[in-house]
Amino acid sequence: MFLKYSKTGSSASALFYAAALAGAALTGGLFASGTANAQAQVTQQRATVSIRSEIWVERNVSENGSDKTELLDPKKVTVIPGDKLIIYNFYENEGSTPRDNYIATNPLHPAIAFVSVDEEWAQVSVDGGKTWGKLPDLTKLETVADGIESQSRAASPGDVTHVRWRFNKPLAPGEKGRLTFRGVVR
């Protein structure tokens, strides 16, 4: 994926943002996990969930005196810091059996700051995927005074490193859907 980037500054900056957003689209693919025992692993081989991710730039445009919101292909526009992004993750159980205990995890590329997630049952992590919860319930450790002392503060959307969806019911064969979260280019 090639993304154009326009900003006053070095071409290295332009390349960084283009590579970062391309990487976000590629590494934004979901990682899935299920039960650990051998029986479940055999079942999961027949219950394959496919994931397809799309990233879109959301912009307000004026047309004939009225404002509207458009979703633009990041391969066809200049992507700049501050651009709003929508990340769609389409899933489908392509297997012949239900997929139980399914978890989909989407890491955020460092060039994207988390804004929100559409599904109220989604969880986020602010520590690289070690702990999970709702954003208002999470805290972030901050280093104070040259790395000597740490203090805890409420986590903010910019601290989010991963988004996770834990399905509370099995995905039936052929079941499909969409998971959505929003971000902004740093």
Side-chain angles (χ1 to χ4, degrees):
M1 173 185 289
F2 176 76
L3 303 176
K4 296 181 289 180
Y5 173 78
S6 174
K7 179 182 176 185
T8 307
S10 72
S11 60
S13 294
L15 183 59
F16 167 77
Y17 277 103
L21 281 176
L26 296 174
T27 63
L30 301 176
F31 301 104
S33 65
T35 57
N37 66 46
Q39 176 72 26
Q41 290 175 358
V42 170
T43 301
Q44 288 172 6
Q45 289 173 359
R46 291 186 305 250
T48 304
V49 178
S50 68
I51 301 292
R52 181 176 54 85
S53 296
E54 294 180 4
I55 187 168
W56 294 92
V57 176
E58 180 182 47
R59 289 202 183 138
N60 294 325
V61 294
S62 294
E63 192 174 286
N64 298 328
S66 67
D67 291 336
K68 67 178 187 171
T69 301
E70 286 187 348
L71 294 182
L72 306 170
D73 184 342
K75 294 178 276 186
K76 297 179 180 177
V77 298
T78 300
V79 178
I80 59 173
D83 269 342
K84 297 175 190 175
L85 303 174
I86 297 179
I87 296 89
Y88 294 122
N89 296 297
F90 299 93
Y91 63 90
E92 180 177 3
N93 181 352
E94 295 178 338
S96 60
T97 61
R99 178 68 189 263
D100 200 13
N101 300 319
Y102 188 70
I103 299 171
T105 301
N106 204 145
L108 268 73
H109 191 279
I112 298 176
F114 175 82
V115 173
S116 66
V117 61
D118 285 5
E119 297 77 22
E120 66 182 42
W121 49 279
Q123 295 180 318
V124 297
S125 176
V126 297
D127 60 6
K130 294 175 189 161
T131 58
W132 298 92
K134 300 289 185 187
L135 187 58
D137 300 332
L138 297 176
T139 58
K140 181 80 174 164
L141 273 177
E142 266 189 345
T143 302
V144 181
D146 299 324
I148 297 173
E149 186 179 328
S150 292
Q151 68 182 20
S152 184
R153 64 168 172 79
S156 68
D159 296 323
V160 173
T161 60
H162 293 73
V163 181
R164 177 173 83 174
W165 298 266
R166 181 187 299 265
F167 290 78
N168 62 4
K169 64 178 185 74
L171 292 175
E175 184 174 346
K176 58 176 94 172
R178 180 179 80 185
L179 307 167
T180 305
F181 71 97
R182 298 169 188 278
V184 65
V185 178
R186 294 184 194 259

